[in-house]
Amino acid sequence: MRKIAVVGSINMDYFVEAEKLPEIGETLLGNQFFLSVGGKGANQAVAASRLGAEVALFGSVGKDEISEIFIENMKNETLDIKNLNLVEGSHTGVAFIEICNSENRILVVPGANDFTDVSYINRVLEGLLTYDVVLFQMETPIELMEYLIPILHEKGKIIIVNPAPAHKIKAHLFDKITYLTPNEHEYEIVFDCKLPMEKLLINYPNQLIITCGTDGVVYYDGQEIVRVPAIKVEPVDTTGAGDSFSGAFAVAVSEEKNLYDSIRFGTIVAGLSVTKKGAQTGMPYRSEVDLLWKEELKHEGEDHAIEN
Ligand code: RIB
């Protein structure tokens, strides 16, 4: 199996849950408060390692109590964090997450994540280049991704970019990215264009993969637009669903599953992850996913038999 490196953010998530979210200038009482380790980079790395892949996280934390909690938490995961950048004089990233009716809105203060930069990556580049699949998000400086993609491409690495939160990607990088996975709200910003989704997909066959929440995931296979369905679950908290998808997709790609199956593997993991509160709390382990995977294949067989 190929090894996966995640270059990305690490946050402490401060969750509040309420039946209604306040308007500007309004004060309301919430129902629940909890803390949980998060950050899109850390979440994707945890998602991938729980699925049995060999994964390393490249990112930064402050020298503070929050990073101690993060490091303690990672002892329960099989994730390699030996390249972590411990930043003096900055705080570990924090995210304030409001949950209402299983949906969320998130405000991130990056802190030490801003130090996941070119100077840090040059110190750990040799180690990073021993990985085969490299997964990015956009909560760390965009300049780092712009610097690294050509280097990784030149070395023949598989590059997956989950452009969240959305940011424009420079045009010359597109042909170096193996898979780009924006959601239905992000793709217009990423490509800085107003093309309808289908038109854009046709320009990037088997490369652009757009996630559409409960409507599944779409891509163009060179002949037609393919929609991979989402699995049906009762969502409790959708925080980290995109991260679960990305981590799982990277694992499936590293196992050389075909594109359709890699996406389907991602949708199963994302579906399972939203059945619990917190980003990493609900991320499933391999045995749970394999069970559901077999069920899905069985249903597919049955549907196929009925069609015939
Ligand atoms: O994608 C969910 C994540 O976004 C949270 O864990 C939060 O830290 C923000 O980065």
Side-chain angles (χ1 to χ4, degrees):
M1 197 203 294
R2 295 150 162 172
K3 299 195 297 174
I4 302 170
V6 180
V7 179
S9 60
I10 298 162
N11 295 332
M12 181 57 72
D13 292 346
Y14 292 77
F15 282 89
V16 286
E17 196 184 6
E19 265 144 42
K20 184 177 178 294
L21 298 181
E23 303 293 331
I24 298 287
E26 188 183 21
T27 304
L28 290 177
L29 296 184
N31 301 335
Q32 210 194 355
F33 165 73
F34 61 96
L35 278 179
S36 181
V37 171
K40 293 187 194 301
N43 292 344
Q44 297 186 13
V46 165
S49 68
R50 285 192 188 169
L51 297 169
E54 192 176 334
V55 186
L57 175 62
F58 292 78
S60 308
V61 290
K63 277 192 182 162
D64 53 18
E65 280 176 11
I66 302 180
S67 67
E68 284 168 21
I69 300 174
F70 169 75
I71 291 166
E72 193 53 39
N73 260 265
M74 288 307 112
K75 287 186 183 155
N76 301 321
E77 308 290 341
T78 51
L79 187 59
D80 178 351
I81 54 165
K82 71 169 181 297
N83 289 294
L84 217 57
N85 187 23
L86 270 174
V87 182
E88 196 94 52
S90 184
H91 64 83
T92 301
V94 284
F96 298 90
I97 305 182
E98 297 172 324
I99 313 176
C100 182
N101 298 327
S102 82
E103 297 294 341
N104 65 57
R105 58 186 196 192
I106 305 179
L107 190 61
V108 175
V109 185
N113 289 308
D114 281 343
F115 293 84
T116 299
D117 55 13
V118 173
S119 131
Y120 155 65
I121 223 70
N122 276 338
R123 297 199 296 275
V124 292
L125 192 57
E126 210 182 303
L128 179 66
L129 292 178
T130 64
Y131 290 82
D132 314 287
V133 178
V134 183
L135 180 53
F136 293 95
Q137 321 73 37
M138 292 192 167
E139 273 182 346
T140 44
I142 191 86
E143 297 75 24
L144 172 67
M145 204 184 79
E146 291 169 351
Y147 169 74
L148 262 182
I149 286 178
I151 298 176
L152 297 169
H153 179 257
E154 219 253 319
K155 299 273 178 203
K157 307 293 178 187
I158 295 175
I159 303 168
I160 306 175
V161 178
N162 172 228
H167 192 289
K168 181 178 173 341
I169 296 185
K170 290 188 177 153
H172 74 276
L173 294 175
F174 286 125
D175 65 349
K176 299 184 176 62
I177 296 172
T178 321
Y179 301 109
L180 184 62
T181 63
N183 69 24
E184 64 212 302
H185 310 292
E186 291 159 346
Y187 77 88
E188 283 189 0
I189 301 175
V190 172
F191 287 88
D192 193 22
C193 80
K194 289 269 175 220
L195 277 183
M197 197 190 287
E198 285 72 18
K199 287 233 165 85
L200 188 66
L201 281 168
I202 286 170
N203 291 330
Y204 298 94
N206 298 313
Q207 181 195 19
L208 176 59
I209 293 157
I210 303 184
T211 60
C212 308
T214 50
D215 289 333
V217 178
V218 284
Y219 69 102
Y220 178 64
D221 72 358
Q223 290 188 317
E224 58 179 351
I225 305 270
V226 180
R227 184 173 291 271
V228 184
I231 61 164
K232 290 189 182 66
V233 286
E234 277 300 316
V236 173
D237 173 15
T238 56
T239 313
D243 299 332
S244 302
F245 174 83
S246 296
F249 176 73
V251 171
V253 166
S254 77
E255 292 174 0
E256 299 183 54
K257 284 190 173 29
N258 65 37
L259 186 55
Y260 184 92
D261 283 351
S262 297
I263 294 173
R264 194 160 59 151
F265 190 74
T267 60
I268 290 176
V269 173
L272 287 170
S273 77
V274 301
T275 57
K276 289 188 190 128
K277 283 182 191 166
Q280 293 179 18
T281 334
M283 286 173 175
Y285 289 86
R286 187 63 187 239
S287 51
E288 206 182 332
V289 181
D290 282 347
L291 265 181
L292 204 54
W293 178 259
K294 277 190 199 133
E295 283 291 306
E296 291 280 307
L297 285 184
K298 213 172 98 196
H299 288 315
E300 199 174 84
E302 282 164 6
D303 290 349
H304 196 64
I306 292 166
E307 274 167 27
N308 291 332

